[in-house]
Amino acid sequence: MIKIENLKKNFGETTACDIPSFTINNGDILGLVGNNGAGKTTLFRLLLDLLKADEGHVEYIVPSPEGEGTGNEVINPTESEDWKQLVGAYVDEGFLIDFLTPEEYFAFLGKVSGMTQQDVDERLKDFERFANGEIFGQKKLIRNLSAGNKMKVGIISALLRKPKIVILDEPFNFLDPTSQLVLKHLLTDYAQQTGATVLISSHNLQHTVDISTRIALLEHGVIIRDLANSNGSATAELQEYFGAE
């Protein structure tokens, strides 16, 4: 669970985030939607401790393992590094080490996470369809990949360790239509199989509606609507807001 309390971030006179209270429940697939400047990326950066909030805080609330008491562990990312074991994220190319090949990058991530190379190789098999023969075995440095293939490397890196929380900013960007469809299945299957909480932001309203169980609509850093989304039930309200016919 992720709990947000009185979270505020301003850039000069511009409000980028102003969220009095918001809880993201375990197992949610939460889609963040909004026009440019709505604050989606800023919120993700605050959740990942990449930006310092002006006020308020974020808490990751982790249930105690069965048999080890009934209390929950509360982790504030500004005070502890423990949350990093729970979260896999990709926000932009700055997350990549672009002078490595994809295989070298995944091996590095696996090593720092305590995975053996055999573990990494076995895990990467789950992404062969998504990679579509364009990532593995190409002997290309990440910096020489297309924008779409860099996005694939970032998404795979976020999911590699099977984290309990996944945060992806605009993951459908730069992907061809086939890869977008594969990614939708990849994320929904991952959430169902692991029980993970998945947060995505996207300008692609249809893809967001297709995979999200819940949608947060942002405007000028404020969550103005928190919509349950069962079988696309949020579609009409979102289309009305964005002015779709």
Side-chain angles (χ1 to χ4, degrees):
M1 178 186 296
I2 305 172
K3 191 173 183 180
I4 297 169
E5 293 290 343
N6 193 38
L7 191 65
K8 296 183 179 181
K9 180 65 180 179
N10 297 320
F11 295 106
E13 297 182 357
T14 301
T15 299
C17 182
D18 185 359
I19 302 175
S21 181
F22 191 70
T23 299
I24 303 164
N25 300 308
N26 294 333
D28 278 350
I29 304 179
L30 178 70
L32 296 185
V33 299
N35 290 316
N36 289 336
K40 303 183 295 295
T41 299
T42 296
L43 176 55
F44 279 173
R45 289 186 174 277
L46 290 166
L47 292 177
L48 296 169
D49 197 31
L50 298 173
L51 279 177
K52 180 178 175 58
D54 297 329
E55 296 181 34
H57 63 273
V58 172
E59 293 177 341
Y60 291 94
I61 302 174
V62 185
S64 297
E66 188 175 349
E68 296 185 16
T70 58
N72 294 326
E73 181 183 7
V74 179
I75 304 171
N76 184 324
T78 65
E79 299 173 355
S80 170
E81 300 287 313
D82 291 350
W83 65 276
K84 293 182 179 180
Q85 303 301 316
L86 306 171
V87 179
Y90 183 67
V91 173
D92 58 37
E93 291 182 19
F95 279 52
L96 305 176
I97 303 176
D98 68 359
F99 59 81
L100 301 178
T101 66
E103 287 92 343
E104 290 170 339
Y105 180 54
F106 298 138
F108 168 77
L109 293 177
K111 186 173 182 179
V112 299
S113 303
M115 300 172 69
T116 66
Q117 186 59 51
Q118 184 177 355
D119 292 336
V120 172
D121 292 341
E122 190 64 28
R123 178 69 176 129
L124 290 178
K125 292 179 182 178
D126 294 338
F127 302 103
E128 288 181 349
R129 185 181 176 207
F130 182 51
N132 194 32
E134 299 173 325
I135 303 296
F136 307 134
Q138 300 304 299
K139 298 182 180 179
K140 285 186 178 181
L141 301 181
I142 292 173
R143 65 176 171 231
N144 295 328
L145 296 177
S146 68
N149 285 334
K150 287 178 183 176
M151 179 63 74
K152 290 182 179 183
V153 171
I155 292 167
I156 293 170
S157 71
L159 298 172
L160 184 68
R161 297 179 294 111
K162 293 189 176 180
K164 294 295 185 182
I165 298 170
V166 178
I167 298 176
L168 300 173
D169 193 23
E170 298 289 352
F172 298 103
N173 272 7
F174 310 116
L175 299 183
D176 59 54
T178 297
S179 296
Q180 291 179 11
L181 292 174
V182 173
L183 177 59
K184 288 200 295 184
H185 289 294
L186 180 65
L187 293 177
T188 53
D189 288 349
Y190 180 83
Q192 290 171 0
Q193 292 168 8
T194 66
T197 303
V198 178
L199 286 69
I200 68 162
S201 72
S202 179
H203 283 111
N204 190 309
L205 198 59
Q206 189 58 57
H207 287 338
T208 305
V209 169
D210 285 347
I211 71 171
S212 300
T213 60
R214 182 180 174 195
I215 294 177
L217 175 57
L218 279 80
E219 184 177 281
H220 304 304
V222 178
I223 297 176
I224 61 171
R225 299 181 196 176
D226 179 10
L227 306 173
N229 184 50
S230 175
N231 297 318
S233 60
T235 301
E237 190 166 347
L238 292 171
Q239 288 179 342
E240 180 182 2
Y241 173 81
F242 288 109
E245 295 294 334

